[in-house]
Amino acid sequence: MTDNADTVNSADNLQNKRWLKAQKSLAGSTLSQSVAMGAIAGILLIGQAALMAWIVDKVMFSDWSLKQCQPYLLTMLALILSRSLFSRFSERLAFEGAARIKISLRDQLLRRLYQLGPCYINNERSAEISNCLHNGIDALEAYYARYLPAVAFSSLIPLAILVVVFPLDWKSGLIFLVTAPLIPFFMILIGSQAEQLNQQRWRALARMGNHFLDLIQGLTQLKLYNASRREIDTVAQVADQYRHSTLSVLKVAFLSSLALEFLATISIALIAVIIGFRLYWGEMNFGMGLMVLLLAPEFYQPFRNLGTQYHARMEGISAAEKMLEILNANVPDQPSASDTDKASNSNILHQVQSISLENVHYSYSPDRPAIQGININITSPGLYALVGESGAGKTTLVEMLLGFISPQKGHIKINQQPLQQLGVHLWRQQLAWIPQSPQLFSGSIIDNIRLGNTAADLDSVKRAAEKAGASTFIDAFPDGYNTQIGEQGTGLSGGQRQRIALARAFLRKSTVLILDEPTSHLDPESEHLIQQSLKLYAQEHIVIVVAQRLHTVRMAERIFMMSSGLLLESGNHQQLLAKNGHYARLIAGKRPE
Amino acid sequence: MKDLLRLLALSRSRWLWMSLGILLALVTVIANISLLSISGWFLASMAVAGIAGISMNYFTPAAIIRFLAILRTAGRYGERLVTHDATLRLLSDLRVWFYRRLEPLAPAQLQNYHSGDLLSRIQADIDTLDNFYLRLLLPSVVALIGIPLVVIIIALYDHTIAGLTLAALLLVGVAIPLQLANRTRKKGKQLITESAALRTALIDGVQGMRELIIYDATERHSDHCLSLSQSYTDLQRQINRASSSSQALTLLVINICVWISLWLLIPQVASTARPPVELAMLILLVMASFETVLQMPLAFEQLSTTLTAARRLFSIIDTKPRRKEPGKSSPALQRCDLHLDNISFDYRDNDYPDNDPQTCTPNKNGVLNRFNLTIGQGEKIAILGPSGAGKTSITHLLLGFWQPQQGSISIGGYNIDDFYSEDLRRHFSVVSQHSYLFANTIRHNLLLGNPQADQAMLDHACRVAGLDTFISTLPDGYDTWLGETGRGLSGGQSRRIAIAQAIIKQAPVLILDEPTEGLDPITEAKVTEALLEAMKERTVILITHRLTMLEAMDNIAIIENGSVVEIGNHQQLNKTSKRYQNLLSYF
């Protein structure tokens, strides 16, 4: 079982890795340029070491004076300067490449999400998804700008050093050659296990952190129950427990870096000793020996860098998982009309006269239909109310009217034409929608009202706000319509936010308005104003309300009473009361009589 | 500096482990420096001896080289273990310390930190402090001891080169990182703002997707996000450029220092003032000496984030609890009638150390204005009114979480200020839609208010709350783990747990704050039933707008704009009050 899960997991990983590699093309040639610059810096480093060893050799054994050395010293200085330039360019280009990939992917993903539509993101996941677009994408920077170049350098630079060292001293070359593959070998062998252990360790730390966060968030609850002081001991206990378990894990995890360190350091020591003896026996020139010693740490450095960038790889791969999930998701079939039809369709949809649902079905899972056999026919302007307890299917019906889901059976027809043929895009141009808690976007109030009609001038915005009962409180702000509203529209009450959303809908001048009444009490003033403006708007437009208030249903032209996905009754308040059926029971249960 | 010293004082108790870690780090660094320079000396001596044909004792240096290699490797391993152990110990100390200080402030003085985001920031701040020792203190002390050590050793051979190396070490270890920090400080702050703007736009764009699609604004919003993403990346680019320049500069300084040393040493060797063997050794010693400051750029990077995190935590910690505990023991109560006398109250608060104008906007909601209410022993009263009218404020005041600006509250004839906080809260049980369940077992959650309660009590409470059948279906029963790692509960189930919690606490006054809000009608009916059962023989304050519960109450107080405007029982109000009828006209 676990084996199986592992292979599935690694297949996923492979796919993520492949995808990540493929995205390199978004950076153009910057990433390869960066690697090339870095490689040149590496070659300059070898030159610098050789030159230095040579100068030292000449001074020590050929009694060169400073004057004789000067040209070589100056060349060495030139190498030093150009190396620092090349490595700086390499860094910059690596960032540039990563930046291009990040910007492009973030944009692609967001646009893709809009194609996928809101049904792909149920509300609980919205935080997770926006986090993927922000931090997830940022995590890719380390992958492209640091990990990938580190991979390239770990093969290029040691290879270049080997090519130089082997002809000079094959024994040292052999030590390099033997230990070099051992390092990746150890990294993979211990590393993969250490990686798991390391992840366990981070999970353990995260769990401890979560425990603490749990306590802080529940602090009021703890105080209510006089349990807050008792918890001090648990904090210490949990932390200590984790310290013990974590440390035993760490001992193993650090073994991998121990192995790396050991190989590199012991090799340098070994090379120093071997070269020393060869020099003693006169088998070798001192300059060459010194050069090999100088290059030895540089030979291992790229592997160490790779080791430190390894977590960038893990982070990149796990971030890629969510991105791939979004990019690979199926875009729902959106009814969209061909271009030739569009002109005639927009004629048909110029004004919505009728909306009809014919025997409409929808279910999220096969065994549990959300709505079934719904027939609704709206042929004139007015206020229409959807009523029923939660789970009755009202939300599904609204989602369908908004075009986010299509009926699995039956049809929605607008002006006698099936919505499938008209295209959901044209239909939405006739729509305005206000959810229970409307989203206000960070920006000015005027921009929020103009969301669906950017061309509108200040006068029409003011008129819309007035109709929505929002003008008084907006005028009271020092900045009026230019007042900035922050995250989630802080500073505005629920009723005020509703009224801004209403102004937004009115300014759109759409023929159909769909509104989800909030279940919580708004302040009495807002309640009253919203009711009045809806009544007015319904005189010339079709207004469909998922109703929570008795006032609203009393005003309604027609009430659709739903229960368990079925449309049970329809008619106005008086008619339905007279029927003495489900509606009458619903009203009786809630209303003081 | 003061904050740094304060941090140091906090970690005082772990000084032994911390010093051991620093010692091991030093040993590792010195072993590496010696390894390279002795290797250089060894190579040169062997070459000289080989050419001159003199014999030399090569066993000792060869053995020293191997010993140093092993010392370095082992030292690094030991260092990691010890430093991580010390860090973990510090971490638990810090959390306990922080929690101890935070506890008296909740919830009134934490209202600015109430959203989950801010609380996670507190969590992140403590995580940042974990770096204090590992990334900041350790490298600094290693540099502080290591720099003089290597400079003195070099000075034994040549004062000029020692001075040069000291200057280069200070450049690489202090000046360049400091200059980078100064250059990027402003940009770093800007980056946080830009990052927040991008995050907000992305959250807006995902949460508000329906609106954007319907209002045909997705294209526009995508473009908006793209431009924010570009300017955010531009800022990152500027910071990256500064840091890559300073890295290149570091490399340059190290190499030029070696180069100048070489330039200075050549004439000395040529004039035979210095034995040639020392040339190779000194050059390698100068090169390797930079290992002492290798971690310093990172330390400087950590400095500002660590200090910011520390300051934020200190600013919370330094807040004085506003409720004054009485000097003498709390009075013993015979009865539990409640009197709220002429209370005026709002949530405005001006004594926060970091007074953030965005979160500190005076809140017009929940204001009480000359509010009077008397609740008799055993009376069941409902409080009704639109949201923001001040209903929840009443419970906050009763529990002593907030203090009224004017007026007094008494319980059983004693002013609530005469009670210790815990003694006061002993008299109340609260069930609200905000009841918090901890990531722990069901049993742990149930026993929160009364850890001594026996199994019979638990069973009884769960029966009343209608939880018994649900718990009996769980394989682990009461020991089922809840929360992120455990079992998720439905809204109704968690509300029932809150009710059972309240019953087990056995407090004489039961406060129910919209206890059925957010539940579906069937669940609501069942929870209501459980609540009516739990209310028996208790004083009850109920905040609701649900008819079924209102009918069971002795009195209903309607509040508007912070004072009681009407009071009466259901029958009376339903006949006479237009307000009452309006408030109830919901589905």
Side-chain angles (χ1 to χ4, degrees):
Chain A
M1 271 310 280
T2 33
D3 273 352
N4 213 342
D6 270 358
T7 44
V8 170
N9 209 342
S10 66
D12 273 359
N13 260 347
L14 202 68
Q15 200 194 1
N16 295 348
K17 274 184 243 170
R18 219 174 275 151
W19 178 78
L20 278 173
K21 290 236 169 79
Q23 304 311 309
K24 272 198 288 186
S25 60
L26 293 172
S29 60
T30 42
L31 286 179
S32 358
Q33 281 174 30
S34 159
V35 169
M37 295 276 185
I40 293 174
I43 290 166
L44 290 176
L45 171 76
I46 298 174
Q48 186 191 328
L51 206 54
M52 183 157 103
W54 194 69
I55 294 170
V56 171
D57 182 52
K58 288 295 171 201
V59 172
M60 279 176 68
F61 297 99
S62 309
D63 299 328
W64 274 25
S65 69
L66 182 61
K67 205 172 161 67
Q68 279 170 298
C69 293
Q70 259 171 9
Y72 301 98
L73 278 170
L74 291 175
T75 318
M76 188 178 148
L77 184 64
L79 288 184
I80 290 172
L81 290 173
S82 40
R83 178 155 81 98
S84 115
L85 276 181
F86 273 105
S87 55
R88 185 171 160 193
F89 281 136
S90 167
E91 271 247 353
R92 284 192 175 187
L93 283 166
F95 177 87
E96 209 46 55
R100 285 190 198 173
I101 296 173
K102 280 182 350 183
I103 291 176
S104 155
L105 274 181
R106 189 175 279 139
D107 191 44
Q108 267 184 44
L109 282 167
L110 187 63
R111 286 175 206 268
R112 178 72 180 185
L113 280 171
Y114 288 136
Q115 284 175 2
L116 290 170
C119 297
Y120 177 73
I121 310 167
N122 11 38
N123 293 328
E124 310 93 72
R125 292 206 313 165
S126 71
E128 191 188 323
I129 285 177
S130 38
N131 200 38
C132 159
L133 289 181
H134 191 268
N135 293 345
I137 293 276
D138 269 353
L140 294 185
E141 182 184 315
Y143 180 85
Y144 288 109
R146 274 179 254 138
Y147 170 70
L148 282 188
V151 172
F153 295 146
S154 71
S155 53
L156 288 176
I157 292 173
L159 190 69
I161 291 178
L162 271 183
V163 168
V164 175
V165 168
F166 239 97
L168 296 177
D169 178 34
W170 65 270
K171 277 187 188 160
S172 303
L174 206 62
I175 293 179
F176 283 154
L177 197 62
V178 172
T179 50
L182 275 180
I183 288 175
F185 175 76
F186 268 104
M187 265 174 60
I188 292 164
L189 191 82
I190 309 174
S192 67
Q193 209 197 346
E195 187 61 51
Q196 276 179 15
L197 290 172
N198 223 2
Q199 278 181 6
Q200 270 176 30
R201 165 181 164 245
W202 282 116
R203 267 200 298 275
L205 275 176
R207 220 178 303 149
M208 177 170 71
N210 283 341
H211 171 85
F212 188 62
L213 189 59
D214 200 33
L215 286 184
I216 302 183
Q217 282 179 331
L219 198 51
T220 307
Q221 181 85 352
L222 286 175
K223 282 188 90 166
L224 280 175
Y225 284 97
N226 283 341
S228 46
R229 281 162 194 279
R230 236 185 297 137
E231 290 295 329
I232 294 175
D233 297 335
T234 26
V235 174
Q237 241 171 44
V238 169
D240 220 43
Q241 213 172 305
Y242 279 125
R243 187 173 62 82
H244 280 296
S245 65
T246 305
L247 221 58
S248 60
V249 169
L250 278 179
K251 278 179 196 152
V252 187
F254 287 155
L255 272 179
S256 73
S257 50
L258 178 72
L260 246 174
E261 200 82 40
F262 183 75
L263 274 175
T265 314
I266 293 292
S267 303
I268 295 172
L270 213 60
I271 286 168
V273 172
I274 288 177
I275 291 177
F277 282 104
R278 296 192 66 201
L279 288 171
Y280 186 59
W281 294 318
E283 285 176 21
M284 198 181 184
N285 166 305
F286 173 73
M288 291 178 188
L290 183 60
M291 180 181 139
V292 175
L293 183 72
L294 286 176
L295 286 178
E298 305 295 340
F299 179 82
Y300 294 102
Q301 194 56 44
F303 296 113
R304 290 192 190 175
N305 284 349
L306 188 60
T308 53
Q309 297 304 337
Y310 203 72
H311 70 273
R313 172 181 175 273
M314 294 306 297
E315 266 173 36
I317 288 174
S318 67
E321 193 171 324
K322 179 123 289 127
M323 296 172 199
L324 257 178
E325 193 188 302
I326 294 171
L327 292 173
N328 287 341
N330 287 325
V331 176
D333 295 331
Q334 288 282 5
S336 65
S338 66
D339 283 341
T340 45
D341 290 341
K342 267 189 184 156
S344 62
N345 283 348
S346 81
N347 277 336
I348 296 172
L349 263 178
H350 182 61
Q351 181 80 35
V352 175
Q353 266 106 28
S354 72
I355 303 170
S356 53
L357 282 73
E358 296 173 1
N359 195 27
V360 165
H361 285 256
Y362 193 88
S363 61
Y364 295 97
S365 60
D367 53 327
R368 242 192 43 217
I371 51 174
Q372 41 186 334
I374 302 282
N375 287 295
I376 287 177
N377 200 8
I378 294 172
T379 51
S380 61
L383 187 73
Y384 299 86
L386 281 173
V387 172
E389 44 194 45
S390 72
K394 294 172 296 183
T395 311
T396 310
L397 203 63
V398 168
E399 289 277 277
M400 201 172 273
L401 284 172
L402 296 175
F404 291 130
I405 52 179
S406 309
Q408 287 155 340
K409 258 191 266 174
H411 293 285
I412 298 181
K413 287 185 179 168
I414 313 296
N415 296 353
Q416 321 303 322
Q417 295 286 317
L419 184 56
Q420 303 278 347
Q421 284 171 26
L422 290 170
V424 71
H425 189 75
L426 280 174
W427 161 233
R428 283 191 191 135
Q429 290 181 346
Q430 299 299 323
L431 271 185
W433 175 66
I434 302 171
Q436 281 211 9
S437 53
Q439 177 83 21
L440 296 187
F441 297 90
S442 78
S444 61
I445 288 184
I446 188 165
D447 283 344
N448 268 287
I449 297 178
R450 279 200 295 216
L451 184 71
N453 184 357
T454 34
D457 56 19
L458 185 60
D459 275 345
S460 22
V461 171
K462 283 186 170 168
R463 269 200 304 277
E466 204 162 324
K467 270 198 250 171
S471 54
T472 331
F473 78 83
I474 296 175
D475 284 332
F477 289 129
D479 291 335
Y481 285 81
N482 289 320
T483 304
Q484 295 289 318
I485 35 189
E487 197 189 347
Q488 298 299 303
T490 24
L492 295 180
S493 76
Q496 289 171 335
R497 296 176 56 183
Q498 281 287 335
R499 285 185 265 166
I500 287 181
L502 207 59
R504 177 192 279 171
F506 290 163
L507 185 66
R508 172 113 162 142
K509 299 201 177 75
S510 45
T511 42
V512 180
L513 169 64
I514 299 176
L515 183 139
D516 217 339
E517 260 185 343
T519 46
S520 57
H521 289 273
L522 301 177
D523 53 293
E525 184 200 359
S526 296
E527 289 278 1
H528 179 72
L529 285 169
I530 291 171
Q531 226 120 45
Q532 290 311 307
S533 23
L534 273 184
K535 199 173 182 175
L536 208 66
Y537 198 73
Q539 288 176 357
E540 288 166 23
H541 304 89
I542 297 174
V543 178
I544 301 173
V545 181
V546 178
Q548 308 287 352
R549 281 144 181 72
L550 205 59
H551 281 293
T552 316
V553 288
R554 281 216 180 103
M555 299 191 309
E557 192 103 337
R558 210 165 345 137
I559 300 161
F560 302 104
M561 167 76 204
M562 296 184 68
S563 180
S564 330
L566 298 168
L567 178 61
L568 297 178
E569 294 165 334
S570 73
N572 68 25
H573 182 65
Q574 299 307 331
Q575 291 166 341
L576 287 186
L577 276 187
K579 258 193 183 167
N580 206 11
H582 292 86
Y583 179 77
R585 267 201 299 275
L586 182 78
I587 297 298
K590 302 287 171 185
R591 215 185 96 206
E593 279 298 80
Chain B
M1 201 60 208
K2 209 183 84 212
D3 297 308
L4 270 184
L5 287 178
R6 228 177 135 182
L7 272 180
L8 209 59
L10 272 175
S11 38
R12 202 175 33 210
S13 58
R14 303 296 179 195
W15 70 272
L16 197 66
W17 278 98
M18 286 165 58
S19 319
L20 185 62
I22 291 172
L23 186 71
L24 283 168
L26 260 174
V27 166
T28 312
V29 167
I30 292 168
N32 199 39
I33 296 173
S34 323
L35 174 65
L36 267 180
S37 39
I38 291 178
S39 297
W41 173 84
F42 177 67
L43 247 59
S45 311
M46 292 291 264
V48 169
I51 287 169
I54 12 170
S55 67
M56 75 172 263
N57 170 14
Y58 43 71
F59 288 110
T60 321
I64 289 177
I65 288 173
R66 280 186 298 247
F67 168 72
L68 287 173
I70 290 167
L71 185 66
R72 175 188 158 86
T73 319
R76 174 56 52 88
Y77 185 70
E79 176 208 328
R80 288 198 165 169
L81 276 187
V82 171
T83 54
H84 281 78
D85 189 58
T87 305
L88 285 169
R89 282 172 198 269
L90 267 181
L91 185 138
S92 61
D93 288 354
L94 275 175
R95 290 191 202 283
V96 171
W97 164 80
F98 184 71
Y99 181 81
R100 217 183 265 279
R101 299 298 194 86
L102 193 66
E103 189 265 343
L105 301 179
Q109 279 150 299
L110 297 180
Q111 64 163 335
N112 279 0
Y113 306 93
H114 242 195
S115 89
D117 248 15
L118 288 168
L119 288 175
S120 351
R121 196 184 74 182
I122 293 174
Q123 156 82 353
D125 284 342
I126 290 189
D127 281 344
T128 309
L129 287 195
D130 299 344
N131 287 334
F132 167 67
Y133 168 64
L134 215 51
R135 301 263 151 76
L136 193 66
L137 194 61
L138 184 85
S140 307
V141 176
V142 166
L144 215 60
I145 301 176
I147 292 177
L149 206 63
V150 288
V151 170
I152 287 169
I153 292 172
I154 297 173
L156 293 178
Y157 294 89
D158 188 295
H159 290 293
T160 323
I161 294 178
L164 175 76
T165 311
L166 178 64
L169 282 170
L170 291 178
L171 264 177
V172 169
V174 183
I176 296 177
L178 209 59
Q179 185 247 8
L180 175 68
N182 279 336
R183 260 176 80 189
T184 49
R185 184 175 303 134
K186 222 162 131 199
K187 298 237 162 65
K189 275 191 189 136
Q190 239 173 305
L191 190 73
I192 293 170
T193 332
E194 294 260 331
S195 164
L198 175 63
R199 181 185 300 279
T200 310
L202 288 169
I203 291 174
D204 276 1
V206 174
Q207 272 179 359
M209 184 185 272
R210 284 181 164 80
E211 270 117 320
L212 290 172
I213 291 178
I214 286 168
Y215 289 112
D216 214 358
T218 53
E219 214 36 53
R220 233 180 318 130
H221 194 79
S222 302
D223 291 343
H224 175 60
C225 287
L226 180 62
S227 77
L228 282 177
S229 167
Q230 270 159 348
S231 60
Y232 171 61
T233 313
D234 272 343
L235 214 55
Q236 283 180 323
R237 176 181 297 116
Q238 288 170 27
I239 291 172
N240 178 271
R241 288 213 167 161
S243 80
S244 79
S245 299
S246 99
Q247 265 172 37
L249 196 61
T250 300
L251 196 69
L252 203 64
V253 169
I254 295 176
N255 279 293
I256 288 193
C257 175
V258 173
W259 187 81
I260 297 178
S261 306
L262 191 59
W263 185 285
L264 290 173
L265 282 166
I266 289 173
Q268 295 178 11
V269 176
S271 67
T272 65
R274 183 174 297 286
V277 177
E278 285 180 14
L279 175 62
M281 187 203 69
L282 277 175
I283 288 296
L284 280 165
L285 182 58
V286 170
M287 272 172 94
S289 68
F290 289 92
E291 175 137 350
T292 52
V293 293
L294 225 53
Q295 301 295 322
M296 286 308 287
L298 195 65
F300 273 96
E301 226 181 280
Q302 286 294 326
L303 182 65
S304 70
T305 44
T306 307
L307 280 182
T308 322
R311 282 194 195 116
R312 270 202 296 252
L313 289 179
F314 290 154
S315 80
I316 298 172
I317 289 319
D318 293 341
T319 315
K320 292 234 165 17
R322 206 169 309 122
R323 187 175 201 275
K324 292 201 179 45
E325 301 294 336
K328 50 184 197 297
S329 57
S330 314
L333 287 184
Q334 307 299 322
R335 50 182 221 277
C336 270
D337 52 328
L338 296 160
H339 296 271
L340 290 99
D341 189 22
N342 203 24
I343 302 286
S344 290
F345 169 74
D346 63 47
Y347 286 102
R348 210 177 0 218
D349 248 350
N350 291 314
D351 52 353
Y352 286 96
D354 64 340
N355 214 330
D356 185 351
Q358 273 220 310
T359 49
C360 259
T361 42
N363 193 349
K364 278 192 204 139
N365 281 338
V367 173
L368 294 179
N369 196 3
R370 294 172 185 283
F371 182 90
N372 287 292
L373 190 65
T374 297
I375 303 161
Q377 161 89 32
E379 184 181 341
K380 293 168 181 43
I381 189 162
I383 296 171
L384 202 62
S387 66
K391 290 171 293 181
T392 304
S393 306
I394 298 166
T395 66
H396 283 152
L397 293 176
L398 283 174
L399 293 162
F401 285 161
W402 266 269
Q403 280 73 44
Q405 275 86 352
Q406 218 186 75
S408 67
I409 302 169
S410 67
I411 177 166
Y414 296 94
N415 191 311
I416 59 167
D417 293 341
D418 296 341
F419 292 82
Y420 278 99
S421 301
E422 294 208 347
D423 292 331
L424 176 66
R425 293 194 296 260
R426 195 159 290 138
H427 299 99
F428 297 96
S429 280
V430 181
V431 178
S432 81
Q433 51 173 324
H434 303 296
S435 290
Y436 190 87
L437 285 183
F438 292 92
N440 210 310
T441 57
I442 292 182
R443 187 189 303 278
H444 178 95
N445 274 290
L446 288 176
L447 291 179
L448 208 58
N450 184 0
Q452 276 80 43
D454 57 8
Q455 190 60 43
M457 182 73 213
L458 234 63
D459 290 338
H460 164 74
C462 288
R463 214 171 19 253
V464 175
L467 267 175
D468 46 348
T469 29
F470 166 65
I471 289 176
S472 67
T473 60
L474 296 171
D476 292 332
Y478 285 107
D479 297 314
T480 305
W481 202 271
L482 302 178
E484 247 172 88
T485 48
R487 205 191 147 86
L489 290 183
S490 72
Q493 283 157 349
S494 31
R495 211 62 58 82
R496 282 158 197 260
I497 290 195
I499 295 170
Q501 236 173 18
I503 296 170
I504 292 169
K505 189 180 173 188
Q506 291 184 304
V509 183
L510 183 59
I511 298 178
L512 304 167
D513 187 353
E514 308 239 16
T516 59
E517 197 54 39
L519 299 180
D520 67 79
I522 298 164
T523 318
E524 188 195 325
K526 287 182 184 156
V527 169
T528 305
E529 212 174 297
L531 281 172
L532 290 172
E533 182 67 29
M535 281 186 207
K536 284 179 186 160
E537 289 156 35
R538 287 196 166 88
T539 307
V540 175
I541 300 169
L542 167 70
I543 297 170
T544 189
H545 61 265
R546 300 290 173 181
L547 177 66
T548 32
M549 299 199 71
L550 289 177
E551 282 166 334
M553 306 306 282
D554 301 327
N555 262 318
I556 298 163
I558 300 179
I559 65 176
E560 231 167 63
N561 300 323
S563 37
V564 178
V565 287
E566 280 182 76
I567 192 159
N569 68 22
H570 173 68
Q571 269 74 25
Q572 296 163 345
L573 289 175
N574 198 25
K575 273 193 206 110
T576 57
S577 169
K578 186 98 179 97
R579 268 203 203 88
Y580 186 66
Q581 289 165 4
N582 263 341
L583 281 166
L584 288 188
S585 62
Y586 278 71
F587 287 103

